[in-house]
Amino acid sequence: MLGNWKGYYRFDNERIQKVIGFNETEFEIVIDKFDGKEFFGKVNDDEKTGGMKDTGEIIGRLENNEVYFKKIMPRNCSIALNGERVYSEKKHPTLYYSGRLSDEGKKIEGKWRFKRQLGFIFYIIPIIYNPGNGTWRMELK
């Protein structure tokens, strides 16, 4: 698991993916701590392919060939209908990734998701919504 991983993610919802303006968003993950089960590292999205600014953290675990990790970004980023990124100092919702490590240990692919969230229409009507989910893949470089 240790090392530099390069990959991409995409939304399952094609309308959201179209607003982003790219078929997939590239990222790079550097895993610098791994004890055989748990791992930690840093993640950077590629802004040129629709990714977020800032460096995030990765906290995960490997169980057999199943990989699970959380992507934690320092600032919230939302995407306006015109594709513009809007940043705030509010913390970005945690992203949850799961996938399968290839037998040779150099590729991982799987699904990512946000947990459902509580929002308000007109600041008074509560709604529960899913901000997104999709697929991802990365390879050890």
Side-chain angles (χ1 to χ4, degrees):
M1 291 296 297
L2 288 171
N4 294 349
W5 295 80
K6 193 156 176 88
Y8 68 86
Y9 62 85
R10 61 176 288 111
F11 283 82
D12 283 344
N13 185 318
E14 292 298 326
R15 287 187 304 183
I16 295 172
Q17 196 63 51
K18 189 173 182 177
V19 168
I20 290 173
F22 300 91
N23 287 334
E24 50 198 40
T25 299
E26 297 176 6
F27 63 82
E28 188 166 345
I29 290 176
V30 177
I31 297 174
D32 54 7
K33 294 179 185 169
F34 178 56
D35 66 7
K37 183 175 181 175
E38 295 181 346
F39 58 89
F40 304 89
K42 301 288 183 197
V43 60
N44 286 292
D45 284 355
D46 179 6
E47 287 183 70
K48 294 177 194 145
T49 59
M52 294 181 277
K53 296 179 185 179
D54 304 322
T55 297
E57 294 181 343
I58 296 295
I59 302 169
R61 70 184 191 282
L62 174 66
E63 295 176 5
N64 299 317
N65 279 9
E66 299 297 317
V67 177
Y68 307 93
F69 65 88
K70 294 189 284 188
K71 177 181 176 182
I72 303 164
M73 298 302 287
R75 288 192 302 160
N76 192 34
C77 176
S78 54
I79 302 167
L81 291 175
N82 65 0
E84 180 182 342
R85 296 339 178 239
V86 180
Y87 289 90
S88 72
E89 294 308 312
K90 189 174 147 183
K91 188 178 173 193
H92 192 280
T94 301
L95 291 136
Y96 296 87
Y97 284 69
S98 62
R100 185 153 187 81
L101 179 66
S102 65
D103 290 338
E104 74 276 359
K106 296 187 180 198
K107 293 179 188 175
I108 307 171
E109 60 184 294
K111 300 265 187 194
W112 66 266
R113 66 179 175 82
F114 286 102
K115 284 189 176 177
R116 290 187 296 179
Q117 296 186 12
L118 177 64
F120 292 90
I121 298 173
F122 305 118
Y123 301 101
I124 56 171
I125 303 169
I127 62 165
I128 294 177
Y129 68 99
N130 180 347
N133 60 297
T135 56
W136 65 282
R137 179 185 171 130
M138 68 183 189
E139 292 185 35
L140 185 61
K141 296 295 172 191

